[in-house]
Amino acid sequence: MAERKIRVAVVFGGRSTEHGISCLSAGSVLAHLDRRRFEVVPVGITRAGSWVLGPDDEEQLRLKDRVEPEIVDGEALTLPADPSSRQLVSLESDTVGQALSGVDVVLPMLHGAFGEDGTIQGLLEMAGIPYAGPGVLASAAAMDKEFAKKLLAAEGLEVGTYEVLRRDETTLDEARRSRLGLPVFVKPARAGSSVGITKVTDHAELDAAIAEARRVDPKVIVESALSGREIECGVLEFPDGEVTASAPAELRVDSDSGWYDYDSKYLDDDTEFDVPAKLSDEETERLRAAAVGAFRALDCQGLARVDFFLTEEGRPVVNEVNTMPGFTPISLYPRMWAHAGVDYSSLLSILLDTAVARGTGLR
Ligand SMILES: Nc1ncnc2c1ncn2[C@@H]1O[C@H](COP(=O)(O)OP(=O)(O)O)[C@@H](O)[C@H]1O
Ligand SMILES: [Mg+2]
């Protein structure tokens, strides 16, 4: 008898500023999941946070005239936190409470707040449903650019110089400004996709940049500009627990802004990618070791993409760790693994098999 297929809920959309990117990532995931092994339930989360049965159709989850896809409505459902259920349940008035589908594992293809930050991971822990990617602590720590840097530095990884502004601080005093120098990057502490980030080259622009970042997050981080090559490295955990880094990739930005902003990430064609990056063997190994080191420093599981600046002296400085990196067709994470011989479909199977092997609870 054929083995029962593994039921995967692919969850996408969500409440964060990266709703559309999540839908784009999910579109390619749905197109590439191995349907011979996995039975797929697409679950969309609207910008308001409602869960609905989503489209299982890459065509509906594509960029159209530079406009991102969005989950607006659909059959209403919920995932009870009760671990005796492990079912998606209808919230439609005529079928309320009826089970829609059992769920063996979740692929939270969500970026940013309420997705990549430990919150949905907490819900899934409570529901007793395994999920791909890091757990609650690692997701929350990696999402928070302040605490990620603190944990990475504590494990001996090099990070840049920064200052944190809490919700009541609107500017940096002279001492903190001169500690950072110029230029600086002003960022929401817990966001992604370059949303809310400004590069500031003149202190006259600093307060406006802080206000801009604060529209996304009350906590703002101001970082000294790092120089060097921008290099990313994929980390993947296999079902037997082995953790491996891909060959690093380099991105070379040629945008008007001069840095990897939102438009150059998703809309414009002005960034060049070298997969793999042109590096010496020694540099490659140093970056791969640092990527696995960062993965372990934050207690990650499943996958992460570790982003670096490689200084002129060849030292990897960690810029950030992404616990659910982009999975769009042009995203670097799947491309780095494809280069390493793990094609997109196999990559998804590994993520899900690792999640099922690990289970939930303390581990
Ligand atoms: N300290 C920095 N020095 C130089 N460039 C930076 C720095 N911080 C960010 N950048 C540029 O901005 C981009 C987005 O910043 P990042 O911290 O990765 O935010 P996000 O989480 O939104 O991706 C980076 O890919 C890089 O091009
Ligand atoms: Mg980034």
Side-chain angles (χ1 to χ4, degrees):
M1 209 179 83
E3 248 180 83
R4 182 173 75 75
K5 290 185 184 180
I6 300 171
R7 289 168 304 196
V8 187
V10 180
V11 183
F12 53 96
R15 293 167 64 184
S16 84
T17 48
E18 293 167 277
H19 179 104
I21 306 305
S22 161
C23 293
L24 292 173
S25 288
S28 25
V29 165
L30 291 167
H32 286 89
L33 267 169
D34 181 355
R35 306 282 176 142
R36 290 165 306 183
R37 289 193 56 216
F38 299 104
E39 185 185 321
V40 179
V41 193
V43 177
I45 301 181
T46 66
R47 288 190 192 274
S50 298
W51 291 43
V52 298
L53 203 58
D56 186 358
D57 178 10
E58 192 188 16
E59 200 44 50
Q60 290 181 51
L61 296 167
R62 274 190 214 280
L63 210 54
K64 294 193 182 85
D65 298 329
R66 291 168 71 98
V67 177
E68 294 166 357
E70 180 176 354
I71 301 300
V72 179
D73 49 26
E75 194 178 333
L77 55 88
T78 190
L79 181 74
D82 180 341
S84 68
S85 153
R86 292 172 160 233
Q87 302 256 7
L88 289 164
V89 170
S90 172
L91 284 184
E92 292 288 316
S93 54
D94 49 344
T95 49
V96 68
Q98 282 181 24
L100 290 175
S101 170
V103 180
D104 297 315
V105 59
V106 169
L107 180 53
M109 196 39 66
L110 295 160
H111 308 309
F114 302 106
E116 202 177 345
D117 61 351
T119 49
I120 194 170
Q121 290 76 11
L123 172 66
L124 295 168
E125 289 290 341
M126 295 195 66
I129 301 176
Y131 50 92
V136 174
L137 177 82
S139 300
M143 188 79 229
D144 188 313
K145 290 181 163 69
E146 174 191 8
F147 287 99
K149 286 193 206 326
K150 286 179 173 165
L151 292 172
L152 293 165
E155 290 297 316
L157 288 136
E158 186 170 345
V159 296
T161 310
Y162 64 95
E163 293 281 346
V164 174
L165 287 104
R166 310 275 162 206
R167 58 169 62 240
D168 51 345
E169 296 175 292
T170 52
T171 191
L172 290 174
D173 63 21
E174 199 41 53
R176 295 170 91 193
R177 287 182 186 195
S178 62
R179 181 171 170 266
L180 296 177
L182 280 174
V184 288
F185 281 81
V186 181
K187 311 178 181 180
R190 295 157 294 194
S193 292
S194 299
V195 173
I197 300 183
T198 312
K199 179 179 181 178
V200 169
T201 52
D202 178 342
H203 281 136
E205 298 153 13
L206 182 64
D207 292 1
I210 292 169
E212 180 68 21
R214 189 153 276 147
R215 286 154 56 112
V216 180
D217 188 339
K219 183 162 81 169
V220 173
I221 186 164
V222 184
E223 302 178 3
S224 302
L226 295 162
S227 55
R229 298 165 66 184
E230 196 162 353
I231 311 266
E232 308 191 342
C233 191
V235 183
L236 179 63
E237 181 184 356
F238 287 80
D240 66 1
E242 187 199 328
V243 173
T244 309
S246 69
E250 176 165 14
L251 54 98
R252 287 181 283 116
V253 188
D254 191 24
S255 68
D256 298 341
S257 69
W259 57 281
Y260 199 31
D261 59 11
Y262 185 90
D263 286 5
S264 52
K265 278 183 182 172
Y266 302 109
L267 301 176
D268 299 334
D269 224 0
D270 54 11
T271 305
E272 302 225 22
F273 301 97
D274 288 335
V275 187
K278 296 182 180 75
L279 299 163
S280 68
D281 291 349
E282 203 195 329
E283 285 169 327
T284 296
E285 285 321 308
R286 211 178 294 145
L287 281 154
R288 292 181 71 217
V292 172
F295 185 91
R296 296 206 191 284
L298 298 186
D299 198 23
C300 287
Q301 290 158 334
L303 84 163
R305 198 193 69 220
V306 184
D307 298 350
F308 296 96
F309 282 89
L310 184 66
T311 67
E312 261 168 43
E313 304 77 41
R315 294 194 325 274
V317 180
V318 183
N319 176 39
E320 64 158 350
V321 177
N322 297 280
T323 53
M324 190 46 78
F327 268 80
T328 69
I330 57 160
S331 296
L332 274 183
Y333 188 85
R335 287 176 57 193
M336 288 191 277
W337 284 107
H339 175 79
V342 182
D343 64 42
Y344 196 111
S345 294
S346 308
L347 178 61
L348 296 174
S349 297
I350 292 167
L351 287 176
L352 293 168
D353 288 338
T354 301
V356 171
R358 190 177 71 217
T360 55
L362 294 178
R363 47 194 183 255

